[in-house]
Amino acid sequence: MLSGLVALTASAARPTYRADPDYIIDAWETDDGLPENSATAIVQTPDGYLWFGTFNGLVRFNGVQFTVFNPDNTPQLPDTGIVNLHLDKGGRLWVSTYRGLVIYADGQWRQLTRIKVESGDYARTFAERANGDLLITTFSGKLLEFSDGHLAELPPPPGEKGQGYFGGVDADGHWWAVQHKFIGRWEKDRWVPMMSPPDVLPNAVGFAPARDGGMWLLLGNELRRLRRGTEVARVTLSEPPGGVWSLSEDSQGNVWIATFDQGVCRVTTNGTMVWWSSANGESDHGRCIFEDREKNLWVGT
C-alpha cells in the first residue's frame, strides 16, 4: 500500500499511479487528526509506532489515532517545527526542530542542542555507522559527528560555503559529504574528493544509502550506484527530477525521489519514472518516502 497520496485525476503528460496497479492509496490530513497538512520525515520505532514530523508538532501514529507532541505538552521540544527524524541502531529517536536537536529514548526526552531559527543549523540528513556513530549535516553547511556521547563539528569540506551537504557512510565506515561542488569522504582527518561533480544545479544533487550496503548518487538526470566509493551501476533518467529534497530505496529496488518543486518520482529498476504531483492532483512539494515493516510506503508532502 502507498500511504499518504490521494487517488485523483491522472495527468496525460506523465505516467501516474492510475497506470500503476501495484498500490492501494490512502491519505491522512488535518481532518484525520494531523496537526498540520505536512509530513517532513517518517520513522518507525521498535514498538511499532510510526512517527511523523510536521511543521506544527511531532506526531505518533498507532495505525488508528495520532498523538501530537509539541512544546505545550513536551517542554523538551524547543519548537513545533520538525525538520527531520532519525531512528538510530540503539532505538533512540532523534528529532531535529527549528530551534534545536532532541533525543527520545526509554520514555525520556533530552534536548541536545539549541539553535536560532535563522541559523539554518537544523539537520538536513543523518547517517550512521555500524558502531552507532552519527554524521549530521545541516542546511547551513555544517557537519557534526556524534560519537561516544559527544557532538563535535568536523572541518567543512571544500565545497560551496553556506550550501548544505547530503551525508552518508560507506561500507568501510567513511563519512561522505555530497553537494554540487564536492563529492568525497572523510579519511585520516581530512576530506578527500572521490569524483569531480558534473556541471549541475545545486538542487539537482541527491544522496542516500542503498539497501545492498552501497549508496545512491543522483546528479542531474544520472542516477548512480556506488560501492566502497566505486561506481557499479548507472541509469540515465528521461528527465531531471527537479529540486531534490530526499532519496530512498524501497524493498523492490525502486528509488524514490522527493522534490520540492515537481512532487514525488519513483524510478524503477529499469529506469522508468512515474510521478505524483500537482499535475495529477497531488502536491509538488515532496519531502520523504518511508517503507514500514509491513512493506507499506508512506509519502510525506
Side-chain angles (χ1 to χ4, degrees):
M1 187 200 310
L2 181 66
S3 305
L5 292 175
V6 183
L8 297 176
T9 304
S11 164
R14 287 173 168 166
T16 70
Y17 59 76
R18 290 288 194 182
D20 192 334
D22 296 333
Y23 301 115
I24 299 172
I25 313 297
D26 289 319
W28 287 268
E29 297 180 345
T30 52
D31 291 344
D32 304 291
L34 284 175
E36 199 255 353
N37 280 338
S38 66
T40 59
I42 306 168
V43 299
Q44 187 173 26
T45 46
D47 53 17
Y49 286 115
L50 286 166
W51 294 77
F52 302 87
T54 80
F55 291 123
N56 194 28
L58 177 67
V59 180
R60 187 180 67 192
F61 186 48
N62 63 5
V64 179
Q65 295 178 323
F66 296 101
T67 301
V68 180
F69 299 86
N70 56 43
D72 292 335
N73 58 33
T74 308
Q76 295 87 347
L77 282 173
D79 198 89
T80 57
I82 309 301
V83 182
N84 209 341
L85 302 173
H86 175 72
L87 183 73
D88 69 19
K89 298 181 187 302
R92 295 176 297 184
L93 176 64
W94 293 69
V95 184
S96 174
T97 79
Y98 278 134
R99 294 185 185 272
L101 189 61
V102 177
I103 300 174
Y104 177 66
D106 300 323
Q108 301 293 319
W109 298 88
R110 177 168 68 97
Q111 187 171 344
L112 189 64
T113 65
R114 180 173 285 276
I115 60 175
K116 295 180 179 179
V117 176
E118 61 272 15
S119 71
D121 288 339
Y122 27 86
R124 183 180 190 182
T125 64
F126 292 87
E128 187 171 1
R129 288 177 175 147
N131 66 357
D133 290 350
L134 287 179
L135 176 69
I136 304 168
T137 71
T138 75
F139 283 87
S140 64
K142 292 182 179 179
L143 290 95
L144 307 171
E145 183 182 59
F146 185 82
S147 180
D148 295 326
H150 300 287
L151 193 65
E153 185 174 349
L154 297 177
E160 184 171 336
K161 293 183 178 180
Q163 291 287 332
Y165 292 86
F166 287 89
V169 60
D170 62 25
D172 297 318
H174 297 108
W175 296 134
W176 280 66
V178 172
Q179 58 151 254
H180 70 297
K181 292 295 185 181
F182 178 79
I183 301 171
R185 66 188 189 186
W186 182 247
E187 293 183 16
K188 299 179 180 179
D189 296 331
R190 66 188 182 96
W191 290 103
V192 178
M194 297 301 293
M195 65 179 68
S196 298
D199 185 16
V200 296
L201 296 173
N203 58 17
V205 177
F207 194 57
R211 288 182 175 259
D212 64 359
M215 298 173 291
W216 289 104
L217 175 63
L218 177 65
L219 299 170
N221 69 335
E222 290 187 351
L223 183 61
R224 308 182 187 187
R225 187 156 54 88
L226 309 180
R227 180 177 288 277
R228 287 188 162 88
T230 301
E231 182 178 327
V232 295
R234 182 185 301 193
V235 176
T236 300
L237 306 180
S238 58
E239 60 182 300
V244 179
W245 190 269
S246 67
L247 303 182
S248 62
E249 182 185 1
D250 66 24
S251 58
Q252 303 301 312
N254 303 304
V255 176
W256 293 78
I257 307 171
T259 77
F260 56 76
D261 57 358
Q262 294 193 43
V264 172
C265 174
R266 184 190 67 185
V267 181
T268 65
T269 53
N270 64 5
T272 301
M273 303 174 75
V274 182
W275 290 89
W276 289 264
S277 68
S278 62
N280 55 4
E282 298 307 327
S283 171
D284 282 338
H285 309 295
R287 293 299 294 262
C288 58
I289 299 92
F290 174 78
E291 185 171 22
D292 66 22
R293 297 172 196 163
E294 288 73 38
K295 307 302 182 184
N296 301 313
L297 288 167
W298 296 78
V299 177
T301 66

